[in-house]
Amino acid sequence: MDKIVNPQTERILVNRLFLTGGHVQVDIVRSLFDTKMAGLLDGAGGASCHLCTASDEEIKSIDWVRSGFTINRLISDAGQLFDDVNEDHFLKLPSKQRLGITHKPTSDINIIAASPLHAYLCVFWWYMLLIYHLDAGHKVWSPSDDKVNASMRRIRAILLVKCSFSVDIPSSQGGTSTTGNIARNCFLDKRDFLKWATSSINLSDKLLLEKIQTYLSVVLRLVNSGNLINCSKMEELCKETYEYILVQFPWANVTPSLHKLLSHSFKIIGEYNNGRGLQNLSEECLEACNKFVRRIGKILPEKQHSLTMYEIF
């Protein structure tokens, strides 16, 4: 019997079992989580990060970036917060005081959600928003601004014609047309992506975007690889990239996915995945099942999203 230790649950799983007879009991242990599932399980639906308890202000602090963020969000702490006070009273507390907890955790296992595929998708979405803002000359983070939306539509059309990349086009099934492969190719600057995406942006901002693209591309490829990683060097690169973004674009929002990539990915690799990239924890297999999940969700009587997801999984 071969056994492996799952890095996210720290439980021993049976990999192969050869039997000559008798009864078999199979325990199915959760091992892969995307961000939505992590939020459902750990109760931190309003948190800036599912791995640490840093606030919105702290994840934009250069001092915090330099000192590093600790993976310190525990399921037991979230459950204890609910047990200590009345639930209705608890939810009326400021988000910072309740550490972003929005509902009682539905799991007793600490969730270390790696989400390497969603790192590509969500960080690419952030990068495109940065391009849209700079193209519009709107240096206040407001994705719904009319000028930003106009730039988005124009750049989207240019990329479709010049690069054959269907980027950020809303899908009838929910989400957008951006796929993992599109995000990878754009970060690798295939088909002169950056040239066309930044064609109307001034040279100084274009150079900043080019450097950020290079840094993020390297970090994302390390995360999505299956190779042994020099985690100390990766930490230096992540912190340098994080600080560079905060210094050059202080008005830009730091999304949870960007924060997670640059603050925690090297720790997950080093401490939870034996120093290897997170290719083995990619949620691409989960994404392939999305259409089936949607079908099941439609026939369930419960309309609330969280309960529907709970019933499915």
Side-chain angles (χ1 to χ4, degrees), residues 27 60 132 149 163 172 198 214 221 233 309:
D27 292 329
K60 289 199 67 176
Y132 301 149
N149 281 324
C163 307
S172 60
T198 62
T214 301
R221 278 181 283 161
K233 290 291 186 182
M309 292 293 288

Side-chain angles (χ1 to χ4, degrees), residues 98 230 251 305:
R98 52 187 167 88
N230 186 328
W251 49 269
H305 175 71

Side-chain angles (χ1 to χ4, degrees), residues 196-228:
W196 296 112
T198 62
S199 58
S200 299
I201 296 177
N202 64 65
L203 180 60
S204 59
D205 285 339
K206 191 178 296 187
L207 292 175
L208 296 178
L209 287 169
E210 183 178 350
K211 186 171 182 178
I212 290 176
Q213 179 198 35
T214 301
Y215 280 21
L216 290 178
S217 177
V218 172
V219 174
L220 286 165
R221 278 181 283 161
L222 290 172
V223 168
N224 281 269
S225 77
N227 301 323
L228 282 171

Side-chain angles (χ1 to χ4, degrees), residues 139-155:
K139 296 189 177 182
V140 176
W141 196 262
S142 51
S144 59
D145 181 79
D146 290 340
K147 291 182 179 179
V148 175
N149 281 324
S151 290
M152 177 186 67
R153 290 190 293 270
R154 187 176 58 78
I155 293 173

Side-chain angles (χ1 to χ4, degrees), residues 8 32-33 113-122 184 220 223-225 260-261 277-284:
Q8 296 196 34
L32 295 178
F33 309 95
S115 309
L117 172 64
H118 278 79
Y120 254 120
L121 294 172
C122 296
R184 291 185 188 98
L220 286 165
V223 168
N224 281 269
S225 77
K260 179 178 171 181
L261 175 72
L278 305 178
Q279 184 183 57
N280 62 311
L281 297 176
S282 176
E283 66 278 30
E284 291 187 57

Side-chain angles (χ1 to χ4, degrees), residues 34 51 65 179:
D34 61 14
L51 297 176
V65 171
T179 64

Side-chain angles (χ1 to χ4, degrees), residues 75-232:
I75 291 287
S76 57
D77 291 345
Q80 188 63 45
L81 286 172
F82 261 89
D83 294 338
D84 288 344
V85 297
N86 177 272
E87 181 173 339
D88 292 335
H89 173 68
F90 174 80
L91 294 177
K92 293 178 182 178
L93 297 174
S95 180
K96 186 174 182 179
Q97 187 174 341
R98 52 187 167 88
L99 304 178
I101 303 297
T102 55
H103 60 274
K104 192 166 185 175
T106 57
S107 172
D108 58 354
I109 303 171
N110 292 324
I111 307 300
I112 308 296
S115 309
L117 172 64
H118 278 79
Y120 254 120
L121 294 172
C122 296
V123 172
F124 178 68
W125 172 76
W126 172 87
Y127 184 69
M128 290 305 300
L129 282 178
L130 185 61
I131 290 176
Y132 301 149
H133 279 76
L134 291 173
D135 183 85
H138 190 75
K139 296 189 177 182
V140 176
W141 196 262
S142 51
S144 59
D145 181 79
D146 290 340
K147 291 182 179 179
V148 175
N149 281 324
S151 290
M152 177 186 67
R153 290 190 293 270
R154 187 176 58 78
I155 293 173
R156 204 163 59 185
I158 291 174
L159 292 176
L160 187 59
V161 173
K162 298 294 185 180
C163 307
S164 298
F165 287 148
S166 179
V167 174
D168 285 345
I169 298 176
S171 168
S172 60
Q173 300 296 328
T176 69
S177 59
T178 305
T179 64
N181 284 332
I182 288 177
R184 291 185 188 98
N185 287 331
C186 290
F187 272 123
L188 290 172
D189 203 21
K190 296 287 184 68
R191 306 177 194 173
D192 292 327
F193 157 77
L194 194 61
K195 169 187 172 182
W196 296 112
T198 62
S199 58
S200 299
I201 296 177
N202 64 65
L203 180 60
S204 59
D205 285 339
K206 191 178 296 187
L207 292 175
L208 296 178
L209 287 169
E210 183 178 350
K211 186 171 182 178
I212 290 176
Q213 179 198 35
T214 301
Y215 280 21
L216 290 178
S217 177
V218 172
V219 174
L220 286 165
R221 278 181 283 161
L222 290 172
V223 168
N224 281 269
S225 77
N227 301 323
L228 282 171
I229 306 297
N230 186 328
C231 293
S232 60

